[in-house]
Amino acid sequence: MWGYPLVILLVGGGLWFLISSGFTPFKFFFHAIDLVRGKYDNPDDPGDINHFEALSTALASTVGMGNISGVAVAIFMGGPGALFWMWMSAIVGMATKFFTCTLSIMYRGEDSEGKIQGGPMYVIREGLNKKWMPLAYLFAMAGLFGPLPIFQTNQLVQILRDFIYIPNGWVEADAAFSGNLITGIALVGLVSLVIFGGITKIGKVASKLVPSMVVIYFVSVVFILAVHIADVPYYLGLIVTDAFTGKAVMGGAVGQLIIIGIQRAAFSNEAGIGTESLAHGASKTKEPIREGLVAMMEPAIDTLIVCTMTALAILVTGVWQTTEANGVTLTLNAFNEALPTFGTYLLMISVFTFSVSSMLSYSYYGSKCLGFLIGADKQHLYNYFYVFSIIFGAVASLDAVINLIDGMFALMAVPTMISALLLSPKVRAASKDYFKRLRAGEFTEYKK
């Protein structure tokens, strides 16, 4: 499914959003920061969570294992050039998120219990006519499986097994299944404590976890880059040159390299996939454009900053050439090379926080999809399926996990992008009106 048609839909659609909007959203990046800071939050607006909590919930799923393991997988499969195509995907992804998340507020609908909801399936139902409804059901069906926490669980179990359990003799290397299973069961208990509390609890926990996890990881990687600062310019250049040759790994297969970069960027920042719209659709606001501006910041934070730092750490330490490791183990090797005493534990803290925070957000996405399909009164049943899948992720192979998630993300992207392209004129009209009122000073800051 991750062939050229889907790449053209995601990147071509993103370019259309970028150009047709006249790059307008980017001109108001600082206004987006003010929105996140809560300067315009009105507690009386419809919705469940404020802008910052919506951003944190979305970032909890995007700034996660895709930044640690996903980047490592991209470099393992495609070499340094894969990061360049992740950058390109993120830049157009900022425009994509502006459009899709604006629509998630503009076309919110009521679920079977009369509660306001957002997301691609509601955008399709409320914004398009009935002949497009199969796309809504396609998204909701894929949304039951795409957000499963199996990749996060798999990579957390991998780092615990390889660097804690086996070295300490807690489990044998050839009998690691039992250790994986025990870890999976423990994660089920931990995640269950939060996700059964709903989006309000998830948003509050995510708004506390996300800033702290980004700071810990950021400081660690900055130290690694500082140790190898002389090598950073060379590898930044290699990322660009290798993007058009693919010589490092793929023997000149540039087309496949582009697919790998865009695929891993989509997994990391979720632009155009639709999951981000589910989180932002719950935001307290009457201004759709505001939510689009807040969402626009996610690919910049996730891919342009965090993914780049991870990639540079892997490249400058040389571990991408000296080991056959893949996923989180490759990133861990980079940490150990530069921080031999405590690199393992710093990354473990980051992996644990990234994994758990992602698991919290993803549960909300899947439950909303189930609610759309069989009724909001039954959507809580999804959480039982969700926590059971954690055990599957703990004992499955990395390849099996990646293939399942990538396939479901591909299916989710199709209805999300098609509906956004069809309704893009509505976003441009609303954008023109909002920025006109903003320049006229019509908006009042709410004092807390």
Side-chain angles (χ1 to χ4, degrees):
M1 288 181 282
W2 274 97
Y4 289 115
L6 185 59
V7 168
I8 292 170
L9 181 63
L10 281 172
V11 179
L15 281 171
W16 168 251
F17 295 142
L18 195 65
I19 295 168
S20 66
S21 67
F23 298 86
T24 300
F26 296 86
K27 301 172 186 175
F28 293 89
F29 196 85
F30 291 105
H31 178 58
I33 294 174
D34 286 338
L35 293 171
V36 174
R37 289 172 57 199
K39 292 179 71 172
Y40 298 91
D41 283 355
N42 183 352
D44 296 326
D45 281 346
D48 295 317
I49 52 180
N50 63 37
H51 287 301
F52 180 68
E53 289 172 344
L55 178 65
S56 295
T57 300
L59 280 175
S61 62
T62 58
V63 180
M65 291 309 296
N67 302 95
I68 296 178
S69 299
V71 174
V73 170
I75 293 175
F76 177 82
M77 295 175 65
L83 183 65
F84 177 85
W85 297 111
M86 289 181 73
W87 289 344
M88 296 302 101
S89 181
I91 290 171
V92 299
M94 292 174 70
T96 299
K97 283 212 175 187
F98 174 77
F99 274 76
T100 57
C101 293
T102 294
L103 289 170
S104 74
I105 299 294
M106 189 179 294
Y107 291 104
R108 284 199 276 206
E110 292 185 353
D111 61 21
S112 61
E113 293 185 332
K115 188 175 181 180
I116 293 281
Q117 301 289 353
M121 57 278 203
Y122 291 99
V123 170
I124 293 167
R125 191 184 74 183
E126 304 297 324
L128 301 174
N129 57 43
K130 289 185 177 180
K131 72 177 183 180
W132 296 102
M133 279 303 292
L135 286 179
Y137 293 119
L138 173 63
F139 178 88
M141 287 295 295
L144 298 177
F145 299 94
L148 290 177
I150 54 179
F151 181 75
Q152 292 78 10
T153 303
N154 182 277
Q155 293 294 276
L156 179 56
V157 165
Q158 181 178 322
I159 194 173
L160 290 172
R161 179 187 67 234
D162 293 348
F163 293 91
I164 299 294
Y165 299 164
I166 294 176
N168 286 291
W170 297 352
V171 297
E172 297 295 329
D174 57 352
F177 179 86
S178 59
N180 297 349
L181 182 61
I182 292 170
T183 304
I185 293 171
L187 284 171
V188 167
L190 179 64
V191 172
S192 297
L193 290 175
V194 177
I195 67 171
F196 287 98
I199 185 57
T200 304
K201 191 168 185 178
I202 292 171
K204 292 190 182 303
V205 172
S207 67
K208 301 292 190 301
L209 274 179
V210 171
S212 59
M213 77 179 183
V214 170
V215 168
I216 291 171
Y217 189 70
F218 187 87
V219 171
S220 302
V221 177
V222 164
F223 184 84
I224 294 173
L225 297 182
V227 171
H228 296 274
I229 191 65
D231 297 320
V232 171
Y234 167 77
Y235 281 106
L236 285 172
L238 181 63
I239 288 167
V240 176
T241 57
D242 191 57
F244 298 95
T245 62
K247 290 179 180 177
V249 173
M250 310 199 64
V254 178
Q256 188 63 28
L257 182 62
I258 293 171
I259 291 177
I260 289 171
I262 293 170
Q263 186 181 40
R264 298 275 59 85
F267 177 76
S268 179
N269 63 48
E270 299 175 13
I273 303 301
T275 49
E276 74 287 348
S277 298
L278 294 167
H280 287 282
S283 183
K284 283 181 176 288
T285 184
K286 292 180 179 178
E287 297 286 351
I289 297 300
R290 288 183 179 174
E291 205 56 38
L293 288 171
V294 170
M296 177 188 72
M297 300 173 68
E298 292 162 14
I301 296 170
D302 175 272
T303 306
L304 298 181
I305 297 176
V306 185
C307 284
T308 299
M309 293 178 67
T310 300
L312 286 174
I314 292 171
L315 295 174
V316 300
T317 54
V319 296
W320 65 290
Q321 292 178 309
T322 59
T323 177
E324 292 298 317
N326 192 6
V328 70
T329 303
L330 181 59
T331 309
L332 186 59
N333 288 338
F335 270 65
N336 284 334
E337 192 278 341
L339 304 165
T341 305
F342 49 89
T344 296
Y345 299 101
L346 280 176
L347 187 63
M348 280 187 56
I349 292 170
S350 298
V351 167
F352 180 80
T353 315
F354 278 35
S355 298
V356 172
S357 63
S358 298
M359 293 178 196
L360 302 184
S361 297
Y362 276 175
S363 67
Y364 175 71
Y365 299 158
S367 66
K368 291 303 172 187
C369 289
L370 184 64
F372 181 81
L373 290 170
I374 65 172
D377 59 321
K378 302 181 187 68
Q379 68 183 25
H380 66 282
L381 297 175
Y382 178 79
N383 287 335
Y384 297 98
F385 169 62
Y386 184 85
V387 295
F388 177 77
S389 75
I390 292 175
I391 296 177
F392 168 76
V395 298
S397 70
L398 176 59
D399 286 344
V401 166
I402 288 178
N403 288 337
L404 175 60
I405 297 301
D406 281 347
M408 293 301 105
F409 270 35
L411 288 176
M412 294 164 73
V414 172
T416 300
M417 290 299 294
I418 290 176
S419 60
L421 287 167
L422 291 172
L423 294 169
S424 61
K426 302 289 186 181
V427 177
R428 290 195 296 273
S431 176
K432 184 177 180 180
D433 173 68
Y434 177 83
F435 292 127
K436 180 180 178 181
R437 288 184 287 138
L438 179 65
R439 291 189 184 99
E442 292 185 19
F443 299 124
T444 304
E445 294 182 14
Y446 288 90
K447 305 298 181 183
K448 294 184 179 180

